[in-house]
């Protein structure tokens, strides 16, 4: 498996979030994630459902080989409020959680910001 590639269910996908974050910056990355949410969501409900994820995931996420169980698991993993669907915030959190490299990068940036703001007294 190449660097930046992650196993997801039965398939493999390339983790592009760290590259996007470097290229677009934080605000640009969030904007792109919102666009991704809009492509995956059920237009009538305004959330990502299992059905909308199944219908759109291959085109948007490039994960053609994911089965129903894996897609349902993805929705369950991201569903923070237990309503069985993903709102925009839950989707963004899930995407960050699925990108360990981006999580590490974000943690490093947070530590730098805290150190800059509070100095050594904070640590």
């Amino acid at each position: 498996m190449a660097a930046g590639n992650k196993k997801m269910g039965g398939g493999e996908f390339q983790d592009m979030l760290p590259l996007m974050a470097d290229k677009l910056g934080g605000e640009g990355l969030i904007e792109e994630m919102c666009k991704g949410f809009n492509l995956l969501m059920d237009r009538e409900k305004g959330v990502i459902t299992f059905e909308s994820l199944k219908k759109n995931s291959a085109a948007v996420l490039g994960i053609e080989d994911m089965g129903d169980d894996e897609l349902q698991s993805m929705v369950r993993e991201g569903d923070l409020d237990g309503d069985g669907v993903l709102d925009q915030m839950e989707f963004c959190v899930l995407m960050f959680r699925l990108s360990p490299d981006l999580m590490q990068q974000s943690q490093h940036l947070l530590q730098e910001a805290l150190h800059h703001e509070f100095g050594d007294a904070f640590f």
Side-chain angles (χ1 to χ4, degrees):
M1 185 173 0
N5 288 0
K6 309 285 186 242
K7 289 295 258 181
M8 176 182 269
E12 184 178 308
F13 75 99
Q14 186 171 5
D15 183 2
M16 299 299 291
L17 287 181
L19 298 174
M20 290 174 63
D22 287 342
K23 182 178 178 181
L24 302 173
E27 192 172 312
L29 177 63
I30 296 299
E31 186 177 314
E32 287 302 310
M33 289 175 68
C34 290
K35 288 178 186 177
F37 173 82
N38 290 333
L39 292 172
L40 291 170
M41 77 174 182
D42 179 305
R43 298 265 180 249
E44 293 177 14
K45 297 178 181 176
V47 294
I48 296 174
T49 64
F50 162 73
E51 292 80 13
S52 70
L53 185 60
K54 182 175 179 174
K55 178 181 174 187
N56 301 314
S57 64
V60 176
L61 299 176
I63 47 177
E64 299 84 5
D65 298 332
M66 286 187 75
D68 288 358
D69 290 345
E70 295 157 324
L71 292 172
Q72 287 171 336
S73 177
M74 192 173 173
V75 171
R76 278 192 304 273
E77 182 177 339
D79 181 17
L80 301 174
D81 61 10
D83 63 359
V85 297
L86 301 177
D87 62 28
Q88 192 171 41
M89 186 271 306
E90 290 171 327
F91 172 75
C92 290
V93 169
L94 178 63
M95 291 299 98
F96 272 84
R97 287 178 50 207
L98 292 175
S99 178
D101 294 339
L102 189 59
M103 288 293 289
Q104 289 176 345
Q105 183 180 6
S106 298
Q107 184 177 12
H108 176 71
L109 292 173
L110 175 61
Q111 288 176 345
E112 281 184 7
L114 290 172
H115 190 268
H116 177 74
E117 183 69 26
F118 299 105
D120 291 329
F122 187 75
F123 297 93

